[in-house]
Amino acid sequence: MNLQNAYIRPVVPDDAEELLEIYAPYVEKTAISFEYDVPGLQEFSDRIKKTLTRYPYLAAEADGEILGYACTGPFVGRAAYDWSAETTIYLREDRKKMGLGRKLYEALEAVSKAQNILNLNACIGYPETEDAYLTRNSVRFHQHMGYSQAGEFHKCGFKFGHWYSMVWMEKLIGNHTDSPLPVIPFPALNPDILTASGIRIPDVRRVL
């Protein structure tokens, strides 16, 4: 596979099975996800559909294979938090450290700016001591992407017989004025804006 051919495109609900294959090992073998059980296909598909009503859900694809995905979602969910979004990213286990994470996050950030999102927030499992289930690689990745640590909750997650902490990291991507522009739902964005953000749109209506 030639990763130079990798491109970013919107996820569609039909991608759910392939995305779930990417996500499942993080549930089963790591504390990167604090879920205990892999969600069923229908539940996972419903999560994708719910996200796409307002937020971007993007896939990195090459030679017909999805290599990873990233999305945003509501931060807390109250109206005053509309200009903040929580980020999520997962890559295939054998496709890490190849630049795909950066490619996905750069596209996600560009779309978020086009939506008038101002804050991106990442909730990350954090080990007191790195172990077989959880390292600090995600924190280091977010630091490289310009995120800074905003807070830590200590020993708040228990998985695989270990207590893990959780950190919030943030990146401010816009100007905070007294009259912020309303947030534009992802499906309402002009396809030309998505294309300018480096996203391939073979049929933008498929994401609606």
Side-chain angles (χ1 to χ4, degrees):
M1 178 180 294
N2 185 358
L3 293 183
Q4 291 183 341
N5 296 331
Y7 62 92
I8 307 299
R9 66 164 177 83
V11 164
V12 294
D14 286 348
D15 294 322
E17 186 172 3
E18 196 168 356
L19 298 189
L20 187 56
E21 291 176 358
I22 294 172
Y23 178 60
Y26 290 95
V27 176
E28 296 169 329
K29 300 189 292 186
T30 82
I32 292 172
S33 169
F34 276 7
E35 285 199 271
Y36 276 20
D37 301 310
V38 176
L41 180 57
Q42 185 60 56
E43 179 184 350
F44 197 75
S45 178
D46 289 344
R47 293 182 188 181
I48 293 172
K49 293 174 184 176
K50 184 176 180 179
T51 296
L52 284 171
T53 62
R54 185 170 175 83
Y55 297 98
Y57 210 128
L58 306 176
E61 182 174 314
D63 300 331
E65 179 185 17
I66 296 177
L67 310 177
Y69 65 91
C71 62
T72 58
F75 176 70
V76 179
R78 305 291 186 185
Y81 293 106
D82 273 1
W83 294 268
S84 297
E86 183 177 347
T87 62
T88 297
I89 184 168
Y90 289 99
L91 302 177
R92 287 196 181 275
E93 293 178 289
D94 59 348
R95 301 299 179 188
K96 296 178 181 179
K97 298 183 179 181
M98 296 180 176
L100 292 171
R102 173 174 290 277
K103 196 177 184 78
L104 279 165
Y105 250 36
E106 286 176 346
L108 197 66
E109 183 175 324
V111 173
S112 298
K113 286 181 178 179
Q115 290 184 276
N116 299 321
I117 296 290
L118 301 176
N119 292 28
L120 294 178
N121 305 285
C123 179
I124 303 169
Y126 189 77
E128 186 172 304
T129 302
E130 292 184 313
D131 60 28
Y133 303 108
L134 188 62
T135 69
R136 296 176 182 172
N137 285 344
S138 184
V139 168
R140 289 188 279 266
F141 166 74
H142 282 83
Q143 288 172 336
H144 289 315
M145 295 303 301
Y147 286 68
S148 58
Q149 187 168 321
E152 180 175 353
F153 294 89
H154 299 91
K155 298 183 179 180
C156 58
F158 185 77
K159 190 173 181 181
F160 300 126
H162 299 273
W163 284 105
Y164 295 104
S165 298
M166 178 267 286
V167 298
W168 277 104
M169 299 188 73
E170 65 179 3
K171 184 174 183 179
L172 308 187
I173 61 172
N175 295 322
H176 294 70
T177 69
D178 292 337
S179 301
L181 294 172
V183 173
I184 303 171
F186 179 63
L189 288 177
N190 188 314
D192 291 339
I193 293 176
L194 301 183
T195 302
S197 300
I199 298 169
R200 186 179 296 185
I201 312 293
D203 182 359
V204 71
R205 296 187 182 278
R206 295 177 68 208
V207 308
L208 304 181

